Coordinates of all heavy atoms in Angstrom, one line a residue:
L23 N -31.6 -30.5 -18.4 CA -32.2 -31.5 -19.3 C -31.9 -33.0 -18.8 O -32.7 -33.9 -19.0 CB -31.6 -31.4 -20.8 CG -32.0 -30.0 -21.4 CD1 -31.4 -30.1 -22.9 CD2 -33.4 -29.7 -21.4
G24 N -30.7 -33.1 -18.2 CA -30.3 -34.4 -17.7 C -31.3 -35.0 -16.6 O -31.4 -36.2 -16.4
Q25 N -32.0 -34.1 -16.0 CA -33.0 -34.5 -15.0 C -34.3 -35.0 -15.6 O -35.2 -35.4 -14.9 CB -33.3 -33.3 -14.1 CG -32.1 -32.8 -13.3 CD -32.5 -31.5 -12.5 OE1 -33.6 -31.3 -12.0 NE2 -31.5 -30.6 -12.4
H26 N -34.3 -35.0 -16.9 CA -35.6 -35.4 -17.6 C -35.2 -36.5 -18.7 O -35.7 -36.4 -19.8 CB -36.2 -34.2 -18.2 CG -36.5 -33.2 -17.2 ND1 -37.7 -33.2 -16.5 CD2 -35.8 -32.1 -16.8 CE1 -37.7 -32.2 -15.6 NE2 -36.6 -31.5 -15.8
A27 N -34.4 -37.4 -18.3 CA -33.9 -38.5 -19.2 C -35.0 -39.3 -19.8 O -34.8 -39.9 -20.9 CB -32.9 -39.3 -18.5
S28 N -36.1 -39.4 -19.2 CA -37.2 -40.2 -19.7 C -37.8 -39.5 -21.0 O -38.4 -40.2 -21.8 CB -38.3 -40.4 -18.7 OG -38.9 -39.2 -18.3
E29 N -37.6 -38.2 -21.1 CA -38.2 -37.5 -22.3 C -37.1 -36.9 -23.2 O -37.4 -36.4 -24.3 CB -39.2 -36.5 -21.9 CG -38.7 -35.4 -21.0 CD -39.8 -34.5 -20.5 OE1 -40.5 -33.8 -21.3 OE2 -40.0 -34.5 -19.2
I30 N -35.9 -36.8 -22.7 CA -34.8 -36.1 -23.4 C -33.5 -36.9 -23.4 O -33.0 -37.3 -22.3 CB -34.6 -34.7 -22.8 CG1 -35.8 -33.8 -22.9 CG2 -33.4 -34.0 -23.6 CD1 -35.8 -32.6 -22.1
T31 N -33.0 -37.1 -24.6 CA -31.7 -37.8 -24.7 C -30.6 -36.8 -25.1 O -30.8 -36.0 -26.1 CB -31.7 -38.9 -25.8 OG1 -32.7 -39.9 -25.4 CG2 -30.4 -39.6 -26.0
I32 N -29.6 -36.7 -24.3 CA -28.5 -35.7 -24.6 C -27.3 -36.5 -25.3 O -26.9 -37.5 -24.7 CB -28.0 -35.0 -23.4 CG1 -29.1 -34.3 -22.7 CG2 -26.8 -34.1 -23.7 CD1 -28.8 -33.7 -21.3
H33 N -26.9 -36.0 -26.4 CA -25.8 -36.7 -27.2 C -24.7 -35.6 -27.4 O -24.9 -34.7 -28.2 CB -26.3 -37.2 -28.5 CG -25.3 -37.9 -29.4 ND1 -24.6 -38.9 -28.9 CD2 -24.9 -37.6 -30.6 CE1 -23.8 -39.3 -29.9 NE2 -24.0 -38.5 -31.0
E34 N -23.6 -35.7 -26.7 CA -22.5 -34.7 -26.7 C -21.5 -35.1 -27.7 O -20.7 -36.0 -27.5 CB -21.9 -34.6 -25.3 CG -22.7 -34.0 -24.3 CD -22.0 -33.8 -23.0 OE1 -21.1 -32.9 -23.0 OE2 -22.2 -34.5 -22.1
I35 N -21.5 -34.4 -28.9 CA -20.6 -34.9 -29.9 C -19.1 -34.5 -29.6 O -18.2 -35.3 -30.1 CB -21.0 -34.3 -31.3 CG1 -21.0 -32.8 -31.4 CG2 -22.4 -34.9 -31.7 CD1 -21.3 -32.2 -32.8
Y36 N -18.8 -33.5 -28.9 CA -17.4 -33.3 -28.5 C -16.9 -34.3 -27.6 O -15.7 -34.7 -27.6 CB -17.2 -31.9 -27.9 CG -17.0 -30.8 -29.0 CD1 -18.0 -30.1 -29.5 CD2 -15.7 -30.6 -29.5 CE1 -17.8 -29.1 -30.5 CE2 -15.5 -29.6 -30.5 CZ -16.6 -28.9 -31.0 OH -16.4 -28.0 -32.0
R37 N -17.7 -34.9 -26.7 CA -17.3 -36.0 -25.9 C -17.2 -37.3 -26.6 O -16.3 -38.1 -26.4 CB -18.2 -36.1 -24.7 CG -18.0 -35.0 -23.7 CD -18.4 -35.4 -22.3 NE -18.7 -34.3 -21.4 CZ -17.7 -33.7 -20.7 NH1 -16.5 -34.1 -20.8 NH2 -18.0 -32.7 -19.9
E38 N -18.2 -37.5 -27.5 CA -18.3 -38.7 -28.3 C -17.2 -38.8 -29.3 O -16.7 -39.9 -29.6 CB -19.6 -38.7 -29.0 CG -20.0 -40.0 -29.7 CD -20.2 -41.2 -28.7 OE1 -20.7 -40.9 -27.6 OE2 -19.9 -42.3 -29.1
Y39 N -16.8 -37.7 -29.9 CA -15.8 -37.7 -31.0 C -14.6 -36.7 -30.7 O -14.4 -35.8 -31.5 CB -16.5 -37.4 -32.3 CG -17.6 -38.3 -32.7 CD1 -18.9 -37.9 -32.7 CD2 -17.3 -39.6 -33.0 CE1 -20.0 -38.7 -32.9 CE2 -18.4 -40.5 -33.2 CZ -19.7 -40.0 -33.2 OH -20.7 -40.9 -33.5
P40 N -13.8 -37.0 -29.7 CA -12.7 -36.1 -29.4 C -11.7 -36.1 -30.5 O -10.9 -35.2 -30.7 CB -12.2 -36.6 -28.1 CG -12.6 -38.1 -28.0 CD -13.9 -38.1 -28.7
D41 N -11.6 -37.2 -31.3 CA -10.7 -37.3 -32.4 C -11.3 -36.8 -33.7 O -10.6 -36.9 -34.8 CB -10.3 -38.8 -32.6 CG -11.4 -39.7 -32.9 OD1 -12.6 -39.3 -32.9 OD2 -11.2 -40.9 -33.0
W42 N -12.5 -36.4 -33.7 CA -13.3 -35.8 -34.8 C -13.6 -36.9 -35.9 O -13.9 -36.5 -37.0 CB -12.5 -34.6 -35.4 CG -12.6 -33.4 -34.6 CD1 -12.3 -33.3 -33.3 CD2 -12.9 -32.1 -35.1 NE1 -12.5 -32.0 -32.9 CE2 -12.8 -31.2 -33.9 CE3 -13.3 -31.6 -36.3 CZ2 -13.1 -29.9 -34.0 CZ3 -13.5 -30.2 -36.4 CH2 -13.5 -29.4 -35.2
H43 N -13.5 -38.1 -35.6 CA -13.8 -39.2 -36.5 C -15.3 -39.6 -36.2 O -15.5 -40.5 -35.3 CB -12.9 -40.4 -36.4 CG -11.5 -40.1 -36.8 ND1 -11.2 -39.3 -37.9 CD2 -10.3 -40.4 -36.2 CE1 -9.9 -39.2 -38.0 NE2 -9.3 -39.8 -36.9
I44 N -16.2 -39.0 -36.9 CA -17.6 -39.3 -36.7 C -18.1 -40.6 -37.2 O -17.8 -40.9 -38.4 CB -18.4 -38.1 -37.2 CG1 -18.0 -36.8 -36.5 CG2 -19.9 -38.3 -37.2 CD1 -18.6 -35.5 -37.1
N45 N -18.8 -41.4 -36.4 CA -19.4 -42.6 -36.9 C -20.7 -42.2 -37.6 O -21.7 -42.1 -36.9 CB -19.6 -43.5 -35.7 CG -20.1 -44.9 -36.1 OD1 -20.8 -45.0 -37.1 ND2 -19.9 -45.9 -35.3
V46 N -20.6 -42.1 -38.9 CA -21.8 -41.5 -39.6 C -23.0 -42.4 -39.5 O -24.1 -42.0 -39.2 CB -21.4 -41.3 -41.1 CG1 -22.6 -40.9 -41.9 CG2 -20.3 -40.2 -41.2
S47 N -22.8 -43.7 -39.7 CA -24.0 -44.6 -39.7 C -24.6 -44.6 -38.3 O -25.9 -44.7 -38.2 CB -23.6 -46.0 -40.1 OG -22.7 -46.6 -39.2
R48 N -23.8 -44.5 -37.2 CA -24.4 -44.5 -35.9 C -25.2 -43.2 -35.7 O -26.3 -43.2 -35.1 CB -23.2 -44.6 -34.9 CG -23.7 -44.5 -33.4 CD -22.6 -44.8 -32.5 NE -23.1 -44.6 -31.1 CZ -22.6 -43.7 -30.3 NH1 -21.6 -43.0 -30.6 NH2 -23.1 -43.6 -29.1
E49 N -24.6 -42.1 -36.1 CA -25.3 -40.8 -36.0 C -26.6 -40.8 -36.8 O -27.6 -40.3 -36.4 CB -24.4 -39.7 -36.4 CG -23.2 -39.5 -35.6 CD -23.5 -39.1 -34.1 OE1 -24.3 -38.1 -33.9 OE2 -23.0 -39.8 -33.2
Q50 N -26.6 -41.4 -38.0 CA -27.8 -41.4 -38.8 C -28.9 -42.3 -38.2 O -30.0 -41.9 -38.2 CB -27.4 -41.9 -40.2 CG -26.6 -40.9 -41.0 CD -26.1 -41.4 -42.4 OE1 -26.1 -42.6 -42.6 NE2 -25.8 -40.5 -43.2
K51 N -28.5 -43.4 -37.6 CA -29.4 -44.3 -36.9 C -30.0 -43.6 -35.7 O -31.2 -43.7 -35.4 CB -28.8 -45.6 -36.5 CG -28.6 -46.5 -37.7 CD -27.8 -47.8 -37.3 CE -27.5 -48.6 -38.5 NZ -26.5 -49.6 -38.3
L52 N -29.2 -42.8 -35.0 CA -29.7 -42.1 -33.9 C -30.7 -41.0 -34.3 O -31.8 -40.9 -33.7 CB -28.5 -41.4 -33.2 CG -28.8 -40.6 -31.9 CD1 -29.3 -41.6 -30.8 CD2 -27.5 -40.0 -31.4
L53 N -30.4 -40.3 -35.4 CA -31.4 -39.3 -35.9 C -32.7 -39.9 -36.4 O -33.7 -39.4 -36.2 CB -30.7 -38.5 -37.0 CG -29.7 -37.5 -36.6 CD1 -29.0 -36.9 -37.8 CD2 -30.3 -36.3 -35.7
E54 N -32.5 -41.1 -37.0 CA -33.7 -41.8 -37.5 C -34.7 -42.2 -36.3 O -35.9 -42.3 -36.5 CB -33.3 -43.0 -38.3 CG -32.7 -42.7 -39.6 CD -32.2 -43.9 -40.3 OE1 -32.5 -45.1 -40.0 OE2 -31.4 -43.8 -41.3
A55 N -34.1 -42.4 -35.1 CA -34.9 -42.9 -34.0 C -35.7 -41.8 -33.3 O -36.6 -42.0 -32.5 CB -34.0 -43.5 -33.0
Y56 N -35.5 -40.5 -33.7 CA -36.2 -39.4 -33.1 C -36.9 -38.5 -34.1 O -36.4 -38.3 -35.2 CB -35.2 -38.5 -32.3 CG -34.6 -39.2 -31.1 CD1 -33.5 -40.0 -31.3 CD2 -35.2 -39.0 -29.9 CE1 -33.0 -40.7 -30.2 CE2 -34.6 -39.6 -28.8 CZ -33.5 -40.5 -28.9 OH -33.0 -41.1 -27.8

C-alpha cells in the first residue's frame, strides 16, 4: 500500500500512540477527511 501513497494513506495507530493516549480530535478530523 505504501507504494500507492497518492491514493492510499496509511495511519498506524500502534506507532502513533505507543502510550495509548489517543488524540481523539485529531483522529476524528482524519476520519472526516476520507
Side-chain angles (χ1 to χ4, degrees):
L23 299 184
Q25 296 176 36
H26 304 277
S28 64
E29 60 185 299
I30 300 167
T31 299
I32 301 170
H33 180 58
E34 291 185 73
I35 62 173
Y36 273 92
R37 289 206 196 274
E38 189 69 30
Y39 302 111
D41 60 1
W42 287 49
H43 296 317
I44 296 171
N45 183 333
V46 173
S47 64
R48 180 173 176 239
E49 295 298 307
Q50 289 173 340
K51 286 177 186 163
L52 186 61
L53 287 170
E54 288 173 18
Y56 292 85

